[in-house]
Amino acid sequence: QVQLVESGGGLVQAGGSLRLSCAASGSIRSASAMGWYRQAPGKQRELVATIISRGSINFADYADSVKGRFTISRDNAKNTVYLQMNSLKPEDTAVYYCNARFRADYWGQGTQVTVSS
């Protein structure tokens, strides 16, 4: 079983940046995918970004709403996944969750991101 702990959330003005981190209690090397999701009040949880490793090559995919602004990365040696968020908008306000996909899905407890206008 893998435990995930997110950090790096906070309050930022529109146009600002934040970097989220997701630290796993075990190796993420064998995870089929690592991802970030978010859930805004009154809305369903949605996919923000995913990253898949094939050997030394990483493949990333993004929701249309964050393409060009967010970057997902992973450090397998540190068992950590990151989400660099630039040019933040008020509509990015949500609780951000880290996901690790093995044979089962594992979730972190979430970190709040609030973007003020």
Side-chain angles (χ1 to χ4, degrees):
Q1 195 168 4
V2 176
Q3 293 183 334
L4 304 173
V5 179
E6 301 98 335
S7 61
L11 174 63
V12 64
Q13 288 188 335
S17 299
L18 285 174
R19 188 193 194 203
L20 305 183
S21 298
C22 170
S25 61
S27 174
I28 63 171
R29 200 174 299 273
S30 62
S32 59
M34 299 292 299
W36 287 95
Y37 290 71
R38 67 186 181 187
Q39 187 167 16
K43 295 187 177 181
Q44 289 188 329
R45 190 172 296 188
E46 63 176 359
L47 175 66
V48 175
T50 59
I51 187 166
I52 298 171
S53 291
R54 291 290 182 265
S56 61
I57 301 175
N58 291 322
F59 298 90
D61 195 18
Y62 300 91
D64 287 344
S65 59
V66 307
K67 280 182 181 177
R69 301 188 297 121
F70 290 10
T71 302
I72 188 171
S73 61
R74 64 192 286 172
D75 185 334
N76 288 341
K78 295 183 178 180
N79 296 320
T80 301
V81 179
Y82 304 96
L83 185 67
Q84 178 66 44
M85 306 186 295
N86 299 327
S87 302
L88 282 161
K89 304 176 181 180
E91 52 263 44
D92 294 319
T93 295
V95 178
Y96 284 70
Y97 297 91
C98 180
N99 171 265
R101 178 157 296 174
F102 293 87
R103 291 185 178 181
D105 276 325
Y106 295 93
W107 296 91
Q109 82 289 349
T111 185
Q112 176 70 47
V113 172
T114 302
V115 184
S116 63
S117 57

